[in-house]
Amino acid sequence: MTWLSYPSWLNAGDNAWQMTAATFVGLMSLPGLAVLYGGVMQKRWSVNSMMLTFVAFCVTLIVWCLWAFKMGFDNPIAHSGSGVFGTKGFLGTMVGEPGSVLSHVGEEGQALIPSITEGPPFHFPEASLVYFQFVFAAITPILALGSVLGRVNMKAWIPYVALWITFVYAVNAFLLWGGGYFAAHGALDYSGGYVIHLSAGVSGFVFAAVLGPRLQRDREVDAPNNLLLVAVGAGLLWLGWNGFNGGDSYYAGADASAAVINTNLCTAVAMMTWIAWDYIFRDKPSLIGAVNGMITGLVGITPAAGFVNGWGAIAIGVADATLVWMAIRYLSKAPMFRHVDDTLGVIYTHGIAGLAGGLMVGLLADPAVVEYIGVGGAANLPGKSGLILGGGWTLLRWQAEAGAWVIAYTAVVTFIILKLVGLVIPLRVNDEELEIGDHAIHGNEVYPSDVPTLGTSGGGWQPSSAPAGA
């Protein structure tokens, strides 16, 4: 028997980059967002915030491998664009049947995985695609979690994540990425400005509205417990985004490089624009504000990273940071926003930023950007040039319609899921747990009050009390 390390259809470079990029994205959730949430929340909610992040990651992986990946990316008619959801096979094959994710059938001997987007087929196994798309799915509810930190019941969070990935994320992913209605009509979302960030902002806002506000004292004294952790988490997000946007060309080629440099350029511009607005209106730029500016730039470039040139990336950075900064300052005073306690302002930094970035694709998409290996120039974006570059209104129209769909569908289905889960499990932790926080919910604290004390002999420290069973 002859053993082949690399089948003829597999490109080792593409496969290695795809798995590496996916790991970068995974690091954005664990530990990136876990550390950021643990640092930005008050210390009595730090452990709970990190636990909820880990739980969402685990639940999404299980759901993704069992059925959600098939719903979003392996539909038998996913490439036809028929109807909104297709006419058959939306749930894909059952677990363990030939062709299911867990059977791994087709990983060897199948020359090429059909591309889920316009362009040549992939040159890596389906397992790499499943893993890559999973980390995108996982980070979406984790981002939305930022809206409801400090009062959500983890027992309700578990089924909510499973249902939300199934009935919201997988549907939006299919429609925009898996060959569904909006993809078939030319809407563009390079790495998830709509599928991930807009839907996270909307679902988080709806969740916060249904759940009700935090305790008044938590809202009045909303001080981070550890700014160092906030900075570490933010840094992991920024550099992890190189995989987030750099991996979505599905090739270790020219477009991956363009997406990475666009991502970093836009983020730097957005962060400095935010700091400039802070200087103009507040005199003192804050670390939390700068991190918000950074996130706004990362989110804004996400739907456009491989479709715009460097000037477009700069324009998105300035526009998105300005729009979100002004929204937090002024729109947050409007009744609809003022009465909803969105803990970390996800509706602004992800919802509004993602929508604005998606719409700017309709203005700035450049047909000269290299999208696929061996395919350059205008052939990349036939009929998909942005309005400013002479492409007309067609692309902007479909960007607007896709954004409107994601907002409406995500809001309605998220509300339904919450009401269904709430019939069985309380969505909100009880009043006693709200008062106490981590110790009441998990039995431990991020900074235990019963700290080790210095010993009187031996020059070392001794615990204040012996552990049980010692």
Side-chain angles (χ1 to χ4, degrees):
M1 176 180 294
T2 301
W3 294 91
L4 295 177
S5 299
Y6 300 105
S8 59
W9 52 268
L10 188 146
N11 183 294
D14 289 344
N15 191 38
W17 169 238
Q18 212 62 39
M19 291 189 290
T20 301
T23 301
F24 283 165
V25 180
L27 287 171
M28 292 166 61
S29 295
L30 305 178
L33 284 171
V35 168
L36 192 152
Y37 289 167
V40 79
M41 292 297 291
Q42 293 180 343
K43 66 179 182 179
R44 66 194 184 90
W45 289 110
S46 187
V47 173
N48 182 252
S49 301
M50 293 185 287
M51 281 285 292
L52 289 165
T53 302
F54 275 82
V55 164
F57 198 83
C58 293
V59 172
T60 302
L61 177 56
I62 295 169
V63 169
W64 195 249
C65 289
L66 291 179
W67 62 79
F69 171 77
K70 287 290 183 179
M71 293 175 65
F73 294 95
D74 204 27
N75 191 300
I77 60 165
H79 312 290
S80 69
S82 302
V84 178
F85 302 116
T87 56
K88 63 179 180 178
F90 182 66
L91 290 175
T93 53
M94 297 300 291
V95 176
E97 291 183 4
S100 76
V101 173
L102 297 184
S103 69
H104 299 297
V105 171
E107 299 227 312
E108 294 181 2
Q110 179 180 344
L112 298 168
I113 301 171
S115 176
I116 57 173
T117 56
E118 180 182 325
F122 302 152
H123 292 79
F124 48 78
E126 185 180 45
S128 297
L129 179 61
V130 173
Y131 177 48
F132 182 77
Q133 290 298 340
F134 149 66
V135 290
F136 283 82
I139 202 172
T140 310
I142 295 174
L143 292 172
L145 173 63
S147 296
V148 295
L149 290 172
R151 73 268 203 203
V152 64
N153 184 359
M154 194 167 80
K155 294 178 182 177
W157 176 246
I158 294 171
Y160 167 79
V161 170
L163 292 170
W164 194 89
I165 290 294
T166 302
F167 295 106
V168 178
Y169 184 88
V171 172
N172 286 332
F174 171 71
L175 292 176
L176 278 156
W177 288 340
Y181 180 78
F182 292 109
H185 286 83
L188 299 173
D189 186 3
Y190 192 79
S191 288
Y194 286 173
V195 176
I196 296 172
H197 299 288
L198 180 57
S199 66
V202 171
S203 63
F205 190 78
V206 171
F207 204 150
V210 171
L211 201 58
R214 292 166 289 166
L215 294 178
Q216 185 62 29
R217 64 188 177 95
D218 286 343
R219 301 184 70 180
E220 291 175 352
V221 186
D222 193 14
N225 77 83
N226 193 319
L227 285 175
L228 178 60
L229 290 182
V230 172
V232 171
L236 286 169
L237 280 181
W238 185 333
L239 295 183
W241 227 285
N242 289 330
F244 200 97
N245 289 344
D248 261 310
S249 64
Y250 298 108
Y251 300 91
D255 199 47
S257 301
V260 168
I261 192 63
N262 280 343
T263 296
N264 286 270
L265 178 61
C266 178
T267 303
V269 169
M271 187 171 183
M272 295 310 298
T273 300
W274 193 287
I275 291 174
W277 286 118
D278 272 354
Y279 267 124
I280 293 170
F281 284 92
R282 299 179 67 247
D283 293 332
K284 296 179 181 180
S286 69
L287 176 64
I288 296 297
V291 168
N292 279 335
M294 179 204 82
I295 292 174
T296 298
L298 291 168
V299 172
I301 195 61
T302 290
F307 298 134
V308 300
N309 58 36
W311 292 109
I314 292 173
I316 291 172
V318 173
D320 252 42
T322 300
L323 180 62
V324 175
W325 196 97
M326 294 297 176
I328 292 176
R329 185 175 179 87
Y330 299 109
L331 186 62
S332 62
K333 298 177 182 179
M336 183 179 74
F337 293 92
R338 187 175 69 248
H339 296 302
V340 176
D341 180 19
D342 184 341
T343 306
L344 301 184
V346 179
I347 187 62
Y348 305 106
T349 55
H350 292 275
I352 292 176
L355 177 62
L359 292 175
M360 291 190 74
V361 173
L363 298 175
L364 300 170
D366 184 355
V369 174
V370 178
E371 186 177 356
Y372 295 110
I373 294 176
V375 182
N380 282 324
L381 299 170
K384 296 179 184 177
S385 299
L387 177 64
I388 292 177
L389 297 180
W393 293 90
T394 301
L395 179 56
L396 183 59
R397 169 208 164 187
W398 282 108
Q399 294 301 104
E401 290 191 13
W405 162 268
V406 171
I407 293 171
Y409 177 78
T410 300
V412 170
V413 179
T414 296
F415 182 81
I416 293 171
I417 292 173
L418 288 170
K419 289 300 181 181
L420 291 175
V421 174
L423 293 174
V424 182
I425 307 171
L427 298 175
R428 186 182 175 91
V429 298
N430 61 47
D431 292 343
E432 180 182 359
E433 291 173 330
L434 280 177
E435 290 289 345
I436 299 173
D438 287 339
H439 198 277
I441 300 171
H442 303 291
N444 49 33
E445 301 170 292
V446 67
Y447 307 118
S449 56
D450 187 17
V451 296
T453 57
L454 289 177
T456 58
S457 63
W461 62 267
Q462 300 292 331
S464 57
S465 61

